[in-house]
Amino acid sequence: MNSRIERFLKYMENENIKKAVILKKENINYFLGKYFMSFSVLVFEEQPYLYVGKLDKDYAEELFNFLEIREFKNWEEIFKGCDGVEKELSISYLKYIDKEYKIISDKIKEMRMIKDKDEIDLIKKAAEISDKAINWVLNNLDDAKNLNEYELAAEIEYIMKKNGSIKPAFDSIVVSGKKTSFPHALPAKDKIEDILLIDIGAVYDGYCSDITRTFLLKDDEEMKKIYNLVYEAKKVAEKYLKEGISAKQIDSIVREFLGNYEKLFIHSLGHGVGLEVHEEPRLSNKLKDDEDIILKEGMIITIEPGLYLKNKFGVRIEDLYLIKKNGFEKLSKAKIPEY
């Protein structure tokens, strides 16, 4: 039995929870310590049980020899006596649950925010994979410019897959021209020209990476000015990034540095990354005081300042960071172009 399971069983004992049912795949994979792609339900009583479909029982028993694997039969069996559920639980399951129950999601979220050594190693591996894709673009920019957005996205995802990524961590953003002025836009058959923004992530054994690079494809003074302002904003964030600063505070520091350009910075400074590409903590100056989180050693977050000029272009630069006592370790290491 791993330490994550032991900690959760202790929490259940302290909260007097007799039976907890976990359906969210990322939470299940967190406790399993390994990516499991098929349908499963994790049930905690005095010990954990993993329910899987008949077709997957043998495979699950081979992967997870530290807990009992049971064949899923029906939801009545799963929820009988259940008094601990996730807040994401679908309303369709409530008919199986007694009226008295506790929400366990905040505890799991708290546990998942601080990564252990195994998790850090997996995220580092995911970051190495997405680094390879970004560096391929950087080293083959002339070839990349001859592709359309679809084609370049396919090349990038192929490189990540070839290097061990299970799948993209999210829909790959590979866009150029005016489309870069949208923080999130999907690739199309558009020719790559003027400016290229790539925001990608790999998934290694269930754990995600997230990285963004912007490439200037023409000599344009306004683009260079905005690009360098975003790059400097990222360096400002790095100067303050360590255990003890709050999520709200570091976002506010970057906005203050941007001055009159702050209005073009239309999203938060960053977010946690782990089994999900967007998880707690969220780095935003819009957090209420009771939502603000003090960054702690072991958290893994992005820093991703961006400026977006409507109908013209946008620039974002993003890296992945492991918070340390007196600073950080940058996990994504792909080169950042300088203009």
Side-chain angles (χ1 to χ4, degrees):
M1 195 179 298
N2 65 41
S3 62
R4 298 173 204 169
I5 288 174
E6 289 173 350
R7 284 168 60 202
F8 190 73
L9 287 171
K10 186 68 178 173
Y11 156 77
M12 286 177 59
E13 183 183 335
N14 292 340
E15 293 293 318
N16 199 28
I17 296 172
K18 298 292 187 287
K19 183 178 183 178
V21 173
I22 297 177
L23 299 181
K24 186 175 178 179
K25 183 173 286 292
E26 291 85 2
N27 288 340
I28 293 172
N29 290 343
Y30 172 72
F31 288 112
L32 297 181
K34 187 176 282 288
Y35 182 76
F36 188 65
M37 63 184 180
S38 301
F39 166 80
S40 60
V41 181
L42 185 59
V43 175
F44 283 92
E45 293 187 89
E46 290 182 357
Q47 64 184 57
Y49 309 99
L50 185 69
Y51 287 83
V52 299
K54 185 177 182 179
L55 293 179
D56 298 307
K57 190 165 184 288
D58 290 346
Y59 180 51
E61 285 175 341
E62 188 170 307
L63 281 179
F64 310 116
N65 59 8
F66 54 87
L67 80 170
E68 184 180 332
I69 309 297
R70 296 180 175 181
E71 184 183 331
F72 175 85
K73 296 289 176 59
N74 56 65
W75 289 112
E76 287 89 345
E77 177 188 3
I78 295 291
F79 284 109
K80 185 179 180 181
C82 171
D83 58 352
V85 297
E86 299 158 302
K87 69 179 180 183
E88 298 91 350
L89 186 74
S90 169
I91 196 168
S92 61
Y93 296 115
L94 291 179
K95 61 188 174 186
Y96 302 117
I97 303 173
D98 294 334
K99 289 182 179 178
E100 298 298 323
Y101 59 85
K102 292 183 178 180
I103 301 295
I104 58 177
S105 300
D106 285 347
K107 181 60 182 179
I108 299 174
K109 188 189 296 181
E110 175 195 315
M111 291 173 68
R112 282 179 51 185
M113 265 199 288
I114 307 293
K115 273 59 179 180
D116 61 29
K117 184 183 181 303
D118 290 341
E119 292 181 287
I120 292 167
D121 287 344
L122 291 174
I123 295 170
K124 282 182 176 180
K125 182 62 180 176
E128 286 174 14
I129 292 169
S130 47
D131 280 348
K132 286 179 179 176
I134 291 289
N135 282 330
W136 179 88
V137 174
L138 185 64
N139 295 329
N140 296 276
L141 207 48
D142 287 338
D143 293 333
K145 285 189 286 187
N146 292 324
L147 303 175
N148 66 34
E149 294 170 354
Y150 274 150
E151 291 167 337
L152 183 54
E155 287 289 338
I156 286 167
E157 291 181 8
Y158 169 69
I159 291 165
M160 292 197 294
K161 191 90 172 175
K162 190 170 68 170
N163 284 284
S165 177
I166 296 168
K167 57 184 179 180
F170 50 91
D171 291 331
S172 299
I173 299 172
V174 180
V175 293
S176 73
K178 289 182 181 180
K179 283 167 72 178
T180 60
S181 66
F182 305 116
H184 300 135
L186 289 175
K189 290 183 178 179
D190 300 329
K191 187 177 184 299
I192 292 168
E193 54 188 4
D194 297 341
I195 184 169
L196 171 64
L197 190 150
I198 298 174
D199 186 348
I200 58 170
V203 178
Y204 185 79
D205 209 2
Y207 282 83
C208 302
S209 63
D210 194 1
I211 183 171
T212 306
R213 293 291 183 266
T214 303
F215 302 91
L216 305 188
L217 306 180
K218 69 175 184 178
D219 189 12
D220 183 286
E221 289 306 314
E222 186 178 29
M223 282 185 183
K224 284 196 281 190
K225 180 181 178 181
I226 294 298
Y227 183 93
N228 287 313
L229 188 56
V230 170
Y231 197 0
E232 288 303 314
K234 186 167 167 290
K235 291 175 184 175
V236 168
E238 289 176 346
K239 193 163 78 171
Y240 291 91
L241 188 60
K242 64 178 179 180
E243 180 174 275
I245 194 165
S246 85
K248 187 174 182 178
Q249 184 183 5
I250 193 164
D251 182 280
S252 297
I253 288 169
V254 170
R255 290 180 189 280
E256 187 176 342
F257 166 78
L258 290 171
N260 293 332
Y261 288 92
E262 189 268 339
K263 64 181 179 293
L264 304 177
F265 183 23
I266 55 179
H267 53 72
S268 60
L269 180 64
H271 53 85
V273 175
L275 286 156
E276 294 171 273
V277 77
H278 288 97
E279 55 183 53
E280 294 295 325
R282 181 163 54 99
L283 277 55
S284 171
N285 71 332
K286 292 183 171 64
L287 292 169
K288 298 173 185 173
D289 288 343
D290 61 349
E291 296 174 325
D292 199 8
I293 289 172
I294 302 299
L295 300 188
K296 294 180 181 176
E297 185 171 32
M299 289 181 175
I300 292 180
I301 61 162
T302 66
I303 295 291
E304 49 180 304
L307 296 176
Y308 307 90
L309 284 68
K310 194 170 183 179
N311 294 322
K312 295 178 83 174
F313 66 89
V315 172
R316 181 167 68 254
I317 307 173
E318 173 187 26
D319 277 310
L320 203 53
Y321 299 82
L322 170 63
I323 303 299
K324 300 255 186 155
K325 287 279 185 195
N326 296 305
F328 60 84
E329 179 184 349
K330 188 147 78 78
L331 304 185
S332 47
K333 303 181 189 298
K335 185 178 177 182
I336 300 175
E338 296 192 2
Y339 300 101

